Amino acid sequence: MTVSDAPNGDLMMCLPYELLDAIFQYLSPADLCKLAVCCRRWRCALNQDLWWRPLCRRNGWEYYYSTLTDISKEIPYEPQQTCDGSEVNGKTTFPMDAIVREGNPTGLPSTCKWKEIYLKARHLEGNLEHNRCHVTTLKVFGDDDLLIHHARQSGRPHVRCSDGDGDLFTMSFSNGTIKVWDVRKGICERVFWAVLSGRENTVKVQNGIVVVGCTEGMLRAFSVNSGQELPPMKGHKKMDIQCIFFDGDMVVSQAVSDDDIRVWTVSDGICRHVLASPDSESRLKDVDYRGKIVAAIYCDNQLRVWHARSGRCVHASKQTDHLQSLKLGYGTVASLHQAPERTWVVVRSVETGECTSIPVDDFEMSVSHLWIHNYFVNGGLFLRALPHRNYEGVYLTRNCDVKFLAKFGHLKTVFCFHGNRCVLEDRYDYQNNDYHIYKACTDGLKLLRSANHGKDQSKSLTVWMDDTKIIFRNLDADMNLFVHHYW
C-alpha cells in the first residue's frame, strides 16, 4: 500500500486494531490523550478500559476510586462571589468538558469508565501536590451568635468535636452549641443545642443528619434540612456517651463505664440490639464499626464480631495475651498485639475467622504501648506510638508485606485521616506552621506535599478531610475555618 491508497493519505488509518494496540501500549497517558483528538477512529481505539485501567492500577487508584468511593459523582467546586476569602484559580476546578457523556451533540461514544477515573484522580492529586486550591473562609462567630456573646462574657468556648460528610461540616462547642456549615455555599446552615458529652468522638454527620452524644447516657439526632430533632436514643447507663459511629442509617454507641454496645436506627430512635460483653468481669477495651459490622475487644483478650443489623455474633475467640487495640477494614478486622519482646498484627476475615499473623519486628518501640491508628482502605495499617517521644509507623500492603516507615517526628504531631491519605502537622510548632500530606500506596506512604498555612491561617490545625477537601481551624480568637477545595 502506498500513501496515495490510504484514506486522507494516512497509512496509520489502514492499520488493523491489533497493530494499533501494539503501538499504543508504549505511549504515555499524555500521548494517548493527544492521539485521541486526532480523529474519531483513533479516539474510539483509545477510549477503552484496557488502556486506562492499568494506568490507574499503577498509580494506586484502581481499588480506591472504583470500589470504595465514586469520584465520578463529585461535583467540581466553583467559587462563589459571596464566599469571603475565596481564591479563584482556573486550574483548580476540574474541567467537566473533558468527559464526554452519552447523548452528546457530536455523537461520540461516552468516555470509558477507567479513563474518566484516571483523568479525575490525576487532576485531584496534581492539585494536592502543587497546592492548587480554592480557599473559603467560614466564620465560626456570627454577629448575632450566642457563641460570641458567651465568648465575651465568660471566655471563649472551646471546640469539643467535629465531623463532615460531603458538603456538610459540623462542630460542637463546650457550651452545648452544635453548628453545621455548607462548605460549598460558605454559609452556616443550622445551629442546634444539646447537653453534650465531654468526650471527643461524640459528634457525627451523615446523609444530612447530625447525631451527638450527650450526658445521662442519651443520644440526640437532628435533621439539617428541616432543622427538626429526630426521636432521642435512650438506654445507656446514666453516664456520658463515650463514642459513637454513624453511617447515615444506624448508630453504634458506648457510654462511660458501660461495657454494653448499643445499635440504634436513627430514624425512630429505637435500640435494635445490645451487644453485651462475654461476662460481667470482661471490661470493654476497644470498639470499631464499619460496613454494618461491629467489632470489640475486652480486657481478658476476647475478640467479638457482630452483624449490626441482626445482632448476630459471627466471630468470638480468645486471643493471645497482649491484645492492645483493633480496627475494622472492609471484610477484615485487624488486632494489634504487643509483648515485651515483639509486636505483631493479626488480620482476620470477618466471616470465616481465617487469620494471618504479621510480625512487625522493625517497628522502633519508643514507648511500651502502640495502637492501630488507621486502617487504610487499600489494605494497609498505620501504627503509631502513644505520645511520649516519637511517632512512627508501619504500612502493611494488601499482600501482608511489611513496609517500615521512618519516624514522623515530634511528640505533638497531629494526624488527620481519610481513605488513603493523611495530614501530619505539629500542634505546638506555631513558628513554622507546616503540614504534610501523605498518600498510602503499595510501597508505603508517599509524601504528596509539604506546605505552610501562611500568615492568614497562622496557628491552624487540620480538623477534617475527605477526597477533595481539607478543613483547617484557626486557633486564634476568631476560630475561623479555612476550607481548601482541591477539586
Side-chain angles (χ1 to χ4, degrees):
M1 180 179 288
T2 64
V3 173
S4 60
D5 298 324
N8 300 322
D10 187 357
L11 281 174
M12 289 288 288
M13 295 294 294
C14 301
L15 292 177
Y17 277 113
E18 291 81 4
L19 285 179
L20 288 177
D21 290 349
I23 295 171
F24 293 157
Q25 66 178 318
Y26 295 102
L27 301 181
S28 67
D31 291 333
L32 293 176
C33 290
K34 291 176 183 177
L35 285 179
V37 299
C38 290
C39 64
R40 188 178 294 261
R41 183 171 185 262
W42 281 20
R43 185 191 181 279
C44 292
L46 292 168
N47 186 37
Q48 298 182 46
D49 288 333
L50 67 93
W51 301 119
W52 297 98
R53 185 168 188 171
L55 294 173
C56 291
R57 184 182 304 122
R58 191 182 308 164
N59 286 278
W61 301 329
E62 180 187 26
Y63 181 70
Y64 184 67
Y65 288 117
S66 66
T67 305
L68 302 172
T69 187
D70 189 354
I71 197 173
S72 299
K73 295 180 180 178
E74 185 75 29
I75 301 173
Y77 175 75
E78 295 289 349
Q80 301 182 30
Q81 297 299 322
T82 57
C83 294
D84 296 334
S86 179
E87 299 176 2
V88 179
N89 182 344
K91 295 181 180 179
T92 302
T93 302
F94 181 78
M96 289 303 295
D97 56 2
I99 306 299
V100 178
R101 300 297 183 190
E102 291 184 4
N104 63 87
T106 63
L108 291 172
S110 59
T111 303
C112 66
K113 169 187 173 181
W114 289 102
K115 182 178 181 181
E116 180 176 354
I117 291 176
Y118 180 89
L119 293 177
K120 291 185 173 182
R122 181 179 180 275
H123 176 87
L124 177 59
E125 287 204 0
N127 283 348
L128 285 165
E129 287 188 47
H130 300 289
N131 200 24
R132 293 192 297 260
C133 62
H134 302 295
V135 181
T136 301
T137 302
L138 304 179
K139 290 185 177 181
V140 173
F141 298 138
D143 294 335
D144 299 324
D145 200 326
L146 288 178
L147 274 173
I148 196 168
H149 295 304
H150 183 279
R152 289 170 178 167
Q153 295 174 5
S154 58
R156 184 183 67 177
H158 62 268
V159 175
R160 283 272 173 83
C161 312
S162 59
D163 190 35
D165 175 49
D167 292 330
L168 294 181
F169 178 75
T170 184
M171 185 179 287
S172 66
F173 300 86
S174 55
N175 68 343
T177 304
I178 305 118
K179 282 198 157 192
V180 185
W181 290 268
D182 186 316
V183 297
R184 186 176 292 272
K185 297 177 182 177
I187 61 174
C188 180
E189 286 281 1
R190 298 287 180 186
V191 180
F192 304 110
W193 291 272
V195 183
L196 299 174
S197 166
R199 306 293 168 151
E200 292 185 357
N201 187 28
T202 52
V203 170
K204 300 293 179 184
V205 58
Q206 284 285 325
N207 296 347
I209 298 175
V210 176
V211 178
V212 296
C214 302
T215 58
E216 298 295 315
M218 184 174 71
L219 296 94
R220 297 175 65 183
F222 305 89
S223 169
V224 178
N225 293 331
S226 67
Q228 300 299 311
E229 182 174 1
L230 302 180
M233 292 162 269
K234 303 178 181 178
H236 278 292
K237 293 179 180 179
K238 291 189 175 182
M239 303 291 287
D240 280 9
I241 297 297
Q242 181 161 299
C243 68
I244 60 175
F245 304 91
F246 179 45
D247 60 7
D249 172 35
M250 308 187 80
V251 180
V252 175
S253 63
Q254 185 232 338
V256 177
S257 301
D258 187 354
D259 296 311
D260 291 339
I261 304 164
R262 293 181 179 264
V263 181
W264 319 77
T265 46
V266 71
S267 58
D268 54 18
I270 295 177
C271 180
R272 298 297 176 181
H273 308 290
V274 178
L275 310 179
S277 59
D279 56 69
S280 58
E281 300 299 323
S282 298
R283 313 303 301 177
L284 183 64
K285 193 172 185 178
D286 198 8
V287 60
D288 198 17
Y289 174 71
R290 186 191 293 252
K292 308 301 182 187
I293 297 293
V294 182
I297 57 174
Y298 298 86
C299 290
D300 62 353
N301 295 303
Q302 285 271 357
L303 186 150
R304 299 172 74 86
V305 179
W306 299 267
H307 279 302
R309 287 197 182 277
S310 65
R312 180 173 62 91
C313 182
V314 294
H315 178 78
S317 63
K318 180 81 172 182
Q319 302 294 298
T320 56
D321 292 339
H322 317 294
L323 179 58
Q324 301 293 344
S325 60
L326 88 165
K327 204 73 176 177
L328 274 168
Y330 289 89
T332 57
V333 57
S335 54
L336 175 67
H337 306 253
Q338 185 188 6
E341 67 281 359
R342 68 187 184 107
T343 301
W344 71 100
V345 172
V346 176
V347 181
R348 66 181 65 245
S349 167
V350 167
E351 296 297 335
T352 66
E354 295 181 0
C355 62
T356 302
S357 181
I358 306 167
V360 194
D361 297 330
D362 291 331
F363 192 89
E364 257 184 63
M365 292 179 290
S366 56
V367 293
S368 60
H369 183 70
L370 311 169
W371 58 297
I372 302 173
H373 191 86
N374 196 53
Y375 192 9
F376 283 117
V377 293
N378 61 352
L381 287 166
F382 183 80
L383 283 64
R384 80 170 193 181
L386 285 180
H388 290 287
R389 288 180 173 80
N390 288 311
Y391 291 98
E392 303 161 324
V394 172
Y395 179 83
L396 307 178
T397 69
R398 295 178 67 188
N399 298 323
C400 297
D401 298 323
V402 178
K403 304 291 183 180
F404 175 66
L405 302 175
K407 294 180 180 180
F408 286 127
H410 194 266
L411 157 70
K412 301 299 182 183
T413 300
V414 175
F415 296 77
C416 184
F417 288 92
H418 176 79
N420 62 346
R421 285 193 290 272
C422 64
V423 177
L424 278 67
E425 59 191 321
D426 195 323
R427 186 187 297 271
Y428 289 92
D429 190 1
Y430 295 149
Q431 184 174 359
N432 291 328
N433 205 27
D434 296 327
Y435 63 95
H436 313 278
I437 301 177
Y438 284 84
K439 167 194 170 185
C441 49
T442 55
D443 56 352
L445 284 183
K446 172 188 175 183
L447 177 64
L448 285 178
R449 187 180 84 254
S450 294
N452 188 273
H453 286 294
K455 295 181 180 179
D456 295 336
Q457 301 175 36
S458 60
K459 297 184 180 179
S460 296
L461 283 179
T462 311
V463 291
W464 181 73
M465 65 186 297
D466 66 1
D467 288 332
T468 60
K469 298 180 288 295
I470 301 178
I471 298 181
F472 302 96
R473 178 171 65 86
N474 195 326
L475 300 181
D476 291 330
D478 56 19
M479 296 172 62
N480 285 342
L481 302 171
F482 303 102
V483 185
H484 289 213
H485 301 267
Y486 294 93
W487 187 240

